[in-house]
Amino acid sequence: MTEKKPMRIALLGLGTVGYGVYEYIRDREDMVVACAMSLVVPDDVTCPIVKNIEEIFADSSIDTVVEVIGGLHPAYEWVSGALKAGKNVVTANKLLIARHYRELVSLAKEKGVALRCTAAAGGGIPWLTSLSHCVQQEPVVEISGIMNGTTNFMLDTMHTTGGSFDAALKQAQRLGYAEANPADDLNGADVRRKLVISSNIAYGCVIDEADVSTEGIEHVTDADIVSFRSLGRICKLIAESRKLENGVAAFIEPSLVPPSMPESAIPENYNLISLVGEHIGKQSFYGQGAGRYPTAYNVLQDCVDILGGVRCFYTDRLDAVSVDNSAVLRTYYVRTNGSDRWLQDKTDRVLDCGLITKPVSVAEIHAWAKQRRAADPDCFIASLR
Ligand code: HSE
């Protein structure tokens, strides 16, 4: 019997996730880090360090490029260059995949190589692979859940220990959960990218990230948390999308969940992501959504799938689609300094801190909150579930 040659990997990035990937591969015989590119190289890394990406593109002995540098540039040039050179690509880069989805998926298909990004959504949960298996047999009509470890950690800490927003953020950063720019965690941009990738795979479409209405938790205060407690609810940052007859609804917002919803019990940096299949109903996926080893684990799982013969993206359906959140109605907690005519019309009852609205559409209240911040930059909204 001839022995299978090990997968030869060029590892782009030796930071929090990249070093985790390096450690995992070091212990394996079926794959090897043939070389790495990184601005910072930990002392115990022994593979050759390459300075010029063109060397990797030109090296026919390298079959797979793992990109864990994050950000758009040079990740875009490096990933598209690797695909053009006929190499499989594994990436954890949600910004890159969400922004250049159509182009990169098409390029991988044209070249007949694998493009996998399981670590880009759900951290260490095999969410994207499970979702892609599901859609091969079952129409998915809805996706929802907690998709950001940093903000879940922060909200959980603020609810359970009464810790401050700033202290909780610092701790999440120390634990390696937050993005290089944590504003992307706090304002929901990180979740938005994960929802775009997940929805694209689920519905076989290409959603423009700019169309996904997003409210984050950057304006939540200790006083809001006290109000949520008095309502008997827990605040979670929740992403949702659903298939409509023509298009999709897709949005991200802080949501006040009752103890009866499983999302209320999700601790620390964990994520809980659910799909609804037309015949199978709801399936949920739970695990650590951020951190070195959970994320590196999913990168490795993608490499294992490639070793097993995968040579594609999760789907090759790229239908154009429009986003419409006007039919989803919710009641909302709103906290703003002062008021305006719209809010007065929509107010159902006033709390010690904040108020509760009558049912309004997601599209309408998200648009209102954005314009309200001209008068009150700290205005905060959260839907009641
Ligand atoms: N900053 C991200 C999070 C990392 O907290 O979920 C994992 O994608």
Side-chain angles (χ1 to χ4, degrees), residues 108-142:
K109 188 177 179 193
E110 181 194 321
K111 293 291 176 180
V113 293
L115 172 62
R116 310 300 276 187
C117 60
T118 309
I125 311 172
W127 156 243
L128 290 183
T129 37
S130 304
L131 175 67
S132 69
H133 289 157
C134 180
V135 295
Q136 288 171 39
Q137 150 176 1
E138 169 81 3
V140 171
V141 294
E142 200 177 311

PDB file of all heavy atoms in Angstrom, residues 108-142:
ATOM      1  N   ALA A 108     -13.155  29.721  -6.403  1.00  0.00           N
ATOM      2  CA  ALA A 108     -12.861  28.364  -5.916  1.00  0.00           C
ATOM      3  C   ALA A 108     -13.494  27.327  -6.849  1.00  0.00           C
ATOM      4  O   ALA A 108     -12.875  26.307  -7.179  1.00  0.00           O
ATOM      5  CB  ALA A 108     -13.379  28.192  -4.487  1.00  0.00           C
ATOM      6  N   LYS A 109     -14.720  27.627  -7.297  1.00  0.00           N
ATOM      7  CA  LYS A 109     -15.410  26.680  -8.192  1.00  0.00           C
ATOM      8  C   LYS A 109     -14.660  26.562  -9.522  1.00  0.00           C
ATOM      9  O   LYS A 109     -14.412  25.455 -10.022  1.00  0.00           O
ATOM     10  CB  LYS A 109     -16.846  27.161  -8.431  1.00  0.00           C
ATOM     11  CG  LYS A 109     -17.667  26.154  -9.184  1.00  0.00           C
ATOM     12  CD  LYS A 109     -19.085  26.604  -9.349  1.00  0.00           C
ATOM     13  CE  LYS A 109     -19.839  25.549 -10.143  1.00  0.00           C
ATOM     14  NZ  LYS A 109     -21.122  26.026 -10.604  1.00  0.00           N
ATOM     15  N   GLU A 110     -14.277  27.729 -10.061  1.00  0.00           N
ATOM     16  CA  GLU A 110     -13.560  27.747 -11.346  1.00  0.00           C
ATOM     17  C   GLU A 110     -12.258  26.947 -11.259  1.00  0.00           C
ATOM     18  O   GLU A 110     -11.894  26.224 -12.176  1.00  0.00           O
ATOM     19  CB  GLU A 110     -13.267  29.212 -11.698  1.00  0.00           C
ATOM     20  CG  GLU A 110     -12.552  29.448 -13.004  1.00  0.00           C
ATOM     21  CD  GLU A 110     -12.019  30.886 -13.066  1.00  0.00           C
ATOM     22  OE1 GLU A 110     -12.726  31.810 -12.605  1.00  0.00           O
ATOM     23  OE2 GLU A 110     -10.875  31.051 -13.551  1.00  0.00           O
ATOM     24  N   LYS A 111     -11.576  27.061 -10.133  1.00  0.00           N
ATOM     25  CA  LYS A 111     -10.279  26.387  -9.986  1.00  0.00           C
ATOM     26  C   LYS A 111     -10.407  24.956  -9.469  1.00  0.00           C
ATOM     27  O   LYS A 111      -9.411  24.230  -9.380  1.00  0.00           O
ATOM     28  CB  LYS A 111      -9.384  27.193  -9.024  1.00  0.00           C
ATOM     29  CG  LYS A 111      -8.972  28.539  -9.582  1.00  0.00           C
ATOM     30  CD  LYS A 111      -8.006  28.334 -10.741  1.00  0.00           C
ATOM     31  CE  LYS A 111      -7.634  29.635 -11.409  1.00  0.00           C
ATOM     32  NZ  LYS A 111      -6.708  29.421 -12.535  1.00  0.00           N
ATOM     33  N   GLY A 112     -11.620  24.571  -9.037  1.00  0.00           N
ATOM     34  CA  GLY A 112     -11.816  23.206  -8.530  1.00  0.00           C
ATOM     35  C   GLY A 112     -11.080  22.948  -7.235  1.00  0.00           C
ATOM     36  O   GLY A 112     -10.592  21.829  -6.988  1.00  0.00           O
ATOM     37  N   VAL A 113     -10.992  23.993  -6.399  1.00  0.00           N
ATOM     38  CA  VAL A 113     -10.303  23.827  -5.110  1.00  0.00           C
ATOM     39  C   VAL A 113     -11.286  24.088  -3.966  1.00  0.00           C
ATOM     40  O   VAL A 113     -12.363  24.645  -4.167  1.00  0.00           O
ATOM     41  CB  VAL A 113      -9.088  24.780  -4.977  1.00  0.00           C
ATOM     42  CG1 VAL A 113      -7.998  24.407  -5.957  1.00  0.00           C
ATOM     43  CG2 VAL A 113      -9.514  26.238  -5.146  1.00  0.00           C
ATOM     44  N   ALA A 114     -10.850  23.701  -2.772  1.00  0.00           N
ATOM     45  CA  ALA A 114     -11.706  23.911  -1.598  1.00  0.00           C
ATOM     46  C   ALA A 114     -11.559  25.331  -1.088  1.00  0.00           C
ATOM     47  O   ALA A 114     -10.456  25.897  -1.086  1.00  0.00           O
ATOM     48  CB  ALA A 114     -11.319  22.926  -0.498  1.00  0.00           C
ATOM     49  N   LEU A 115     -12.678  25.903  -0.670  1.00  0.00           N
ATOM     50  CA  LEU A 115     -12.678  27.160   0.085  1.00  0.00           C
ATOM     51  C   LEU A 115     -13.564  26.890   1.286  1.00  0.00           C
ATOM     52  O   LEU A 115     -14.769  26.651   1.127  1.00  0.00           O
ATOM     53  CB  LEU A 115     -13.235  28.312  -0.758  1.00  0.00           C
ATOM     54  CG  LEU A 115     -13.458  29.632   0.001  1.00  0.00           C
ATOM     55  CD1 LEU A 115     -12.150  30.184   0.569  1.00  0.00           C
ATOM     56  CD2 LEU A 115     -14.115  30.681  -0.906  1.00  0.00           C
ATOM     57  N   ARG A 116     -12.994  26.880   2.471  1.00  0.00           N
ATOM     58  CA  ARG A 116     -13.757  26.559   3.684  1.00  0.00           C
ATOM     59  C   ARG A 116     -13.518  27.641   4.734  1.00  0.00           C
ATOM     60  O   ARG A 116     -12.394  28.169   4.858  1.00  0.00           O
ATOM     61  CB  ARG A 116     -13.330  25.213   4.272  1.00  0.00           C
ATOM     62  CG  ARG A 116     -13.297  24.095   3.284  1.00  0.00           C
ATOM     63  CD  ARG A 116     -14.632  23.822   2.623  1.00  0.00           C
ATOM     64  NE  ARG A 116     -15.513  22.972   3.372  1.00  0.00           N
ATOM     65  CZ  ARG A 116     -16.676  22.503   2.893  1.00  0.00           C
ATOM     66  NH1 ARG A 116     -17.055  22.793   1.663  1.00  0.00           N
ATOM     67  NH2 ARG A 116     -17.443  21.747   3.626  1.00  0.00           N
ATOM     68  N   CYS A 117     -14.555  27.954   5.494  1.00  0.00           N
ATOM     69  CA  CYS A 117     -14.443  29.022   6.493  1.00  0.00           C
ATOM     70  C   CYS A 117     -15.281  28.697   7.729  1.00  0.00           C
ATOM     71  O   CYS A 117     -15.941  29.572   8.272  1.00  0.00           O
ATOM     72  CB  CYS A 117     -14.861  30.355   5.883  1.00  0.00           C
ATOM     73  SG  CYS A 117     -16.567  30.365   5.279  1.00  0.00           S
ATOM     74  N   THR A 118     -15.240  27.427   8.143  1.00  0.00           N
ATOM     75  CA  THR A 118     -16.104  27.005   9.255  1.00  0.00           C
ATOM     76  C   THR A 118     -15.834  27.812  10.524  1.00  0.00           C
ATOM     77  O   THR A 118     -16.756  28.104  11.291  1.00  0.00           O
ATOM     78  CB  THR A 118     -15.944  25.492   9.509  1.00  0.00           C
ATOM     79  OG1 THR A 118     -16.117  24.812   8.261  1.00  0.00           O
ATOM     80  CG2 THR A 118     -16.975  24.978  10.491  1.00  0.00           C
ATOM     81  N   ALA A 119     -14.574  28.207  10.730  1.00  0.00           N
ATOM     82  CA  ALA A 119     -14.242  28.966  11.942  1.00  0.00           C
ATOM     83  C   ALA A 119     -14.739  30.412  11.870  1.00  0.00           C
ATOM     84  O   ALA A 119     -14.670  31.134  12.871  1.00  0.00           O
ATOM     85  CB  ALA A 119     -12.730  28.946  12.170  1.00  0.00           C
ATOM     86  N   ALA A 120     -15.245  30.826  10.708  1.00  0.00           N
ATOM     87  CA  ALA A 120     -15.678  32.226  10.563  1.00  0.00           C
ATOM     88  C   ALA A 120     -17.009  32.500  11.247  1.00  0.00           C
ATOM     89  O   ALA A 120     -17.345  33.653  11.512  1.00  0.00           O
ATOM     90  CB  ALA A 120     -15.774  32.594   9.078  1.00  0.00           C
ATOM     91  N   ALA A 121     -17.791  31.474  11.529  1.00  0.00           N
ATOM     92  CA  ALA A 121     -19.087  31.676  12.199  1.00  0.00           C
ATOM     93  C   ALA A 121     -19.291  30.569  13.226  1.00  0.00           C
ATOM     94  O   ALA A 121     -19.284  29.386  12.887  1.00  0.00           O
ATOM     95  CB  ALA A 121     -20.221  31.651  11.180  1.00  0.00           C
ATOM     96  N   GLY A 122     -19.404  30.980  14.487  1.00  0.00           N
ATOM     97  CA  GLY A 122     -19.658  29.982  15.537  1.00  0.00           C
ATOM     98  C   GLY A 122     -18.399  29.511  16.242  1.00  0.00           C
ATOM     99  O   GLY A 122     -18.472  28.578  17.054  1.00  0.00           O
ATOM    100  N   GLY A 123     -17.245  30.145  15.980  1.00  0.00           N
ATOM    101  CA  GLY A 123     -15.999  29.788  16.681  1.00  0.00           C
ATOM    102  C   GLY A 123     -15.668  28.322  16.518  1.00  0.00           C
ATOM    103  O   GLY A 123     -15.251  27.886  15.454  1.00  0.00           O
ATOM    104  N   GLY A 124     -15.884  27.528  17.563  1.00  0.00           N
ATOM    105  CA  GLY A 124     -15.535  26.108  17.528  1.00  0.00           C
ATOM    106  C   GLY A 124     -16.706  25.190  17.227  1.00  0.00           C
ATOM    107  O   GLY A 124     -16.568  23.966  17.288  1.00  0.00           O
ATOM    108  N   ILE A 125     -17.877  25.764  16.926  1.00  0.00           N
ATOM    109  CA  ILE A 125     -19.053  24.938  16.639  1.00  0.00           C
ATOM    110  C   ILE A 125     -19.035  24.559  15.150  1.00  0.00           C
ATOM    111  O   ILE A 125     -18.822  25.430  14.309  1.00  0.00           O
ATOM    112  CB  ILE A 125     -20.372  25.715  16.910  1.00  0.00           C
ATOM    113  CG1 ILE A 125     -20.345  26.380  18.284  1.00  0.00           C
ATOM    114  CG2 ILE A 125     -21.580  24.811  16.748  1.00  0.00           C
ATOM    115  CD1 ILE A 125     -21.524  27.311  18.527  1.00  0.00           C
ATOM    116  N   PRO A 126     -19.275  23.302  14.811  1.00  0.00           N
ATOM    117  CA  PRO A 126     -19.299  22.940  13.381  1.00  0.00           C
ATOM    118  C   PRO A 126     -20.607  23.394  12.722  1.00  0.00           C
ATOM    119  O   PRO A 126     -21.319  22.623  12.092  1.00  0.00           O
ATOM    120  CB  PRO A 126     -19.164  21.419  13.396  1.00  0.00           C
ATOM    121  CG  PRO A 126     -19.687  21.007  14.734  1.00  0.00           C
ATOM    122  CD  PRO A 126     -19.446  22.137  15.688  1.00  0.00           C
ATOM    123  N   TRP A 127     -20.907  24.673  12.901  1.00  0.00           N
ATOM    124  CA  TRP A 127     -22.194  25.226  12.476  1.00  0.00           C
ATOM    125  C   TRP A 127     -22.323  25.268  10.959  1.00  0.00           C
ATOM    126  O   TRP A 127     -23.287  24.771  10.373  1.00  0.00           O
ATOM    127  CB  TRP A 127     -22.368  26.606  13.117  1.00  0.00           C
ATOM    128  CG  TRP A 127     -23.304  27.540  12.398  1.00  0.00           C
ATOM    129  CD1 TRP A 127     -22.962  28.734  11.816  1.00  0.00           C
ATOM    130  CD2 TRP A 127     -24.720  27.383  12.188  1.00  0.00           C
ATOM    131  NE1 TRP A 127     -24.076  29.316  11.253  1.00  0.00           N
ATOM    132  CE2 TRP A 127     -25.164  28.505  11.470  1.00  0.00           C
ATOM    133  CE3 TRP A 127     -25.635  26.392  12.513  1.00  0.00           C
ATOM    134  CZ2 TRP A 127     -26.489  28.675  11.080  1.00  0.00           C
ATOM    135  CZ3 TRP A 127     -26.962  26.551  12.124  1.00  0.00           C
ATOM    136  CH2 TRP A 127     -27.369  27.690  11.426  1.00  0.00           C
ATOM    137  N   LEU A 128     -21.316  25.840  10.279  1.00  0.00           N
ATOM    138  CA  LEU A 128     -21.447  25.995   8.825  1.00  0.00           C
ATOM    139  C   LEU A 128     -21.439  24.641   8.113  1.00  0.00           C
ATOM    140  O   LEU A 128     -22.165  24.449   7.134  1.00  0.00           O
ATOM    141  CB  LEU A 128     -20.350  26.897   8.266  1.00  0.00           C
ATOM    142  CG  LEU A 128     -20.436  28.390   8.629  1.00  0.00           C
ATOM    143  CD1 LEU A 128     -19.320  29.178   7.955  1.00  0.00           C
ATOM    144  CD2 LEU A 128     -21.791  28.991   8.275  1.00  0.00           C
ATOM    145  N   THR A 129     -20.621  23.700   8.615  1.00  0.00           N
ATOM    146  CA  THR A 129     -20.619  22.380   7.960  1.00  0.00           C
ATOM    147  C   THR A 129     -21.962  21.688   8.191  1.00  0.00           C
ATOM    148  O   THR A 129     -22.535  21.101   7.258  1.00  0.00           O
ATOM    149  CB  THR A 129     -19.464  21.487   8.462  1.00  0.00           C
ATOM    150  OG1 THR A 129     -19.268  21.710   9.843  1.00  0.00           O
ATOM    151  CG2 THR A 129     -18.183  21.765   7.751  1.00  0.00           C
ATOM    152  N   SER A 130     -22.505  21.795   9.413  1.00  0.00           N
ATOM    153  CA  SER A 130     -23.807  21.160   9.691  1.00  0.00           C
ATOM    154  C   SER A 130     -24.902  21.812   8.848  1.00  0.00           C
ATOM    155  O   SER A 130     -25.773  21.127   8.299  1.00  0.00           O
ATOM    156  CB  SER A 130     -24.163  21.298  11.170  1.00  0.00           C
ATOM    157  OG  SER A 130     -23.143  20.762  11.960  1.00  0.00           O
ATOM    158  N   LEU A 131     -24.851  23.134   8.763  1.00  0.00           N
ATOM    159  CA  LEU A 131     -25.838  23.861   7.964  1.00  0.00           C
ATOM    160  C   LEU A 131     -25.767  23.423   6.498  1.00  0.00           C
ATOM    161  O   LEU A 131     -26.783  23.173   5.846  1.00  0.00           O
ATOM    162  CB  LEU A 131     -25.566  25.368   8.096  1.00  0.00           C
ATOM    163  CG  LEU A 131     -26.398  26.314   7.253  1.00  0.00           C
ATOM    164  CD1 LEU A 131     -27.865  26.301   7.692  1.00  0.00           C
ATOM    165  CD2 LEU A 131     -25.850  27.754   7.367  1.00  0.00           C
ATOM    166  N   SER A 132     -24.536  23.308   5.985  1.00  0.00           N
ATOM    167  CA  SER A 132     -24.389  22.944   4.566  1.00  0.00           C
ATOM    168  C   SER A 132     -24.839  21.504   4.318  1.00  0.00           C
ATOM    169  O   SER A 132     -25.381  21.194   3.267  1.00  0.00           O
ATOM    170  CB  SER A 132     -22.960  23.166   4.078  1.00  0.00           C
ATOM    171  OG  SER A 132     -22.094  22.242   4.677  1.00  0.00           O
ATOM    172  N   HIS A 133     -24.645  20.625   5.319  1.00  0.00           N
ATOM    173  CA  HIS A 133     -25.163  19.254   5.163  1.00  0.00           C
ATOM    174  C   HIS A 133     -26.683  19.280   5.148  1.00  0.00           C
ATOM    175  O   HIS A 133     -27.325  18.591   4.362  1.00  0.00           O
ATOM    176  CB  HIS A 133     -24.687  18.363   6.318  1.00  0.00           C
ATOM    177  CG  HIS A 133     -23.228  18.063   6.249  1.00  0.00           C
ATOM    178  ND1 HIS A 133     -22.486  17.702   7.340  1.00  0.00           N
ATOM    179  CD2 HIS A 133     -22.360  18.088   5.212  1.00  0.00           C
ATOM    180  CE1 HIS A 133     -21.225  17.518   6.982  1.00  0.00           C
ATOM    181  NE2 HIS A 133     -21.131  17.752   5.689  1.00  0.00           N
ATOM    182  N   CYS A 134     -27.263  20.107   6.034  1.00  0.00           N
ATOM    183  CA  CYS A 134     -28.720  20.189   6.130  1.00  0.00           C
ATOM    184  C   CYS A 134     -29.327  20.629   4.795  1.00  0.00           C
ATOM    185  O   CYS A 134     -30.282  20.013   4.314  1.00  0.00           O
ATOM    186  CB  CYS A 134     -29.108  21.148   7.257  1.00  0.00           C
ATOM    187  SG  CYS A 134     -30.876  21.321   7.451  1.00  0.00           S
ATOM    188  N   VAL A 135     -28.762  21.684   4.197  1.00  0.00           N
ATOM    189  CA  VAL A 135     -29.404  22.232   2.980  1.00  0.00           C
ATOM    190  C   VAL A 135     -29.303  21.283   1.781  1.00  0.00           C
ATOM    191  O   VAL A 135     -30.019  21.455   0.801  1.00  0.00           O
ATOM    192  CB  VAL A 135     -28.867  23.629   2.582  1.00  0.00           C
ATOM    193  CG1 VAL A 135     -29.202  24.651   3.630  1.00  0.00           C
ATOM    194  CG2 VAL A 135     -27.391  23.608   2.303  1.00  0.00           C
ATOM    195  N   GLN A 136     -28.429  20.281   1.884  1.00  0.00           N
ATOM    196  CA  GLN A 136     -28.363  19.310   0.779  1.00  0.00           C
ATOM    197  C   GLN A 136     -29.596  18.411   0.755  1.00  0.00           C
ATOM    198  O   GLN A 136     -29.829  17.670  -0.197  1.00  0.00           O
ATOM    199  CB  GLN A 136     -27.097  18.470   0.897  1.00  0.00           C
ATOM    200  CG  GLN A 136     -25.858  19.281   0.541  1.00  0.00           C
ATOM    201  CD  GLN A 136     -24.581  18.542   0.857  1.00  0.00           C
ATOM    202  OE1 GLN A 136     -24.502  17.349   0.646  1.00  0.00           O
ATOM    203  NE2 GLN A 136     -23.598  19.247   1.366  1.00  0.00           N
ATOM    204  N   GLN A 137     -30.389  18.455   1.843  1.00  0.00           N
ATOM    205  CA  GLN A 137     -31.523  17.542   1.931  1.00  0.00           C
ATOM    206  C   GLN A 137     -32.812  18.254   2.332  1.00  0.00           C
ATOM    207  O   GLN A 137     -33.896  17.750   2.072  1.00  0.00           O
ATOM    208  CB  GLN A 137     -31.129  16.461   2.955  1.00  0.00           C
ATOM    209  CG  GLN A 137     -32.214  15.847   3.721  1.00  0.00           C
ATOM    210  CD  GLN A 137     -31.667  14.742   4.621  1.00  0.00           C
ATOM    211  OE1 GLN A 137     -30.484  14.480   4.650  1.00  0.00           O
ATOM    212  NE2 GLN A 137     -32.539  14.109   5.334  1.00  0.00           N
ATOM    213  N   GLU A 138     -32.684  19.438   2.929  1.00  0.00           N
ATOM    214  CA  GLU A 138     -33.837  20.028   3.600  1.00  0.00           C
ATOM    215  C   GLU A 138     -33.809  21.548   3.403  1.00  0.00           C
ATOM    216  O   GLU A 138     -32.806  22.187   3.743  1.00  0.00           O
ATOM    217  CB  GLU A 138     -33.683  19.695   5.096  1.00  0.00           C
ATOM    218  CG  GLU A 138     -34.603  20.390   6.033  1.00  0.00           C
ATOM    219  CD  GLU A 138     -35.980  19.739   6.107  1.00  0.00           C
ATOM    220  OE1 GLU A 138     -36.198  18.696   5.462  1.00  0.00           O
ATOM    221  OE2 GLU A 138     -36.829  20.320   6.777  1.00  0.00           O
ATOM    222  N   PRO A 139     -34.886  22.162   2.887  1.00  0.00           N
ATOM    223  CA  PRO A 139     -34.874  23.625   2.779  1.00  0.00           C
ATOM    224  C   PRO A 139     -34.811  24.263   4.165  1.00  0.00           C
ATOM    225  O   PRO A 139     -35.584  23.901   5.049  1.00  0.00           O
ATOM    226  CB  PRO A 139     -36.209  23.940   2.102  1.00  0.00           C
ATOM    227  CG  PRO A 139     -36.678  22.655   1.506  1.00  0.00           C
ATOM    228  CD  PRO A 139     -36.108  21.560   2.336  1.00  0.00           C
ATOM    229  N   VAL A 140     -33.863  25.166   4.345  1.00  0.00           N
ATOM    230  CA  VAL A 140     -33.760  25.899   5.615  1.00  0.00           C
ATOM    231  C   VAL A 140     -34.553  27.191   5.459  1.00  0.00           C
ATOM    232  O   VAL A 140     -34.380  27.924   4.476  1.00  0.00           O
ATOM    233  CB  VAL A 140     -32.284  26.175   5.968  1.00  0.00           C
ATOM    234  CG1 VAL A 140     -32.171  27.121   7.159  1.00  0.00           C
ATOM    235  CG2 VAL A 140     -31.569  24.865   6.277  1.00  0.00           C
ATOM    236  N   VAL A 141     -35.431  27.462   6.417  1.00  0.00           N
ATOM    237  CA  VAL A 141     -36.299  28.633   6.291  1.00  0.00           C
ATOM    238  C   VAL A 141     -35.959  29.728   7.292  1.00  0.00           C
ATOM    239  O   VAL A 141     -36.426  30.858   7.169  1.00  0.00           O
ATOM    240  CB  VAL A 141     -37.799  28.236   6.424  1.00  0.00           C
ATOM    241  CG1 VAL A 141     -38.215  27.364   5.260  1.00  0.00           C
ATOM    242  CG2 VAL A 141     -38.086  27.526   7.746  1.00  0.00           C
ATOM    243  N   GLU A 142     -35.145  29.396   8.274  1.00  0.00           N
ATOM    244  CA  GLU A 142     -34.840  30.386   9.308  1.00  0.00           C
ATOM    245  C   GLU A 142     -33.527  30.051  10.009  1.00  0.00           C
ATOM    246  O   GLU A 142     -33.193  28.875  10.175  1.00  0.00           O
ATOM    247  CB  GLU A 142     -35.980  30.354  10.340  1.00  0.00           C
ATOM    248  CG  GLU A 142     -36.090  31.589  11.182  1.00  0.00           C
ATOM    249  CD  GLU A 142     -37.302  31.492  12.120  1.00  0.00           C
ATOM    250  OE1 GLU A 142     -38.417  31.155  11.633  1.00  0.00           O
ATOM    251  OE2 GLU A 142     -37.122  31.729  13.323  1.00  0.00           O
TER     252      GLU A 142
END
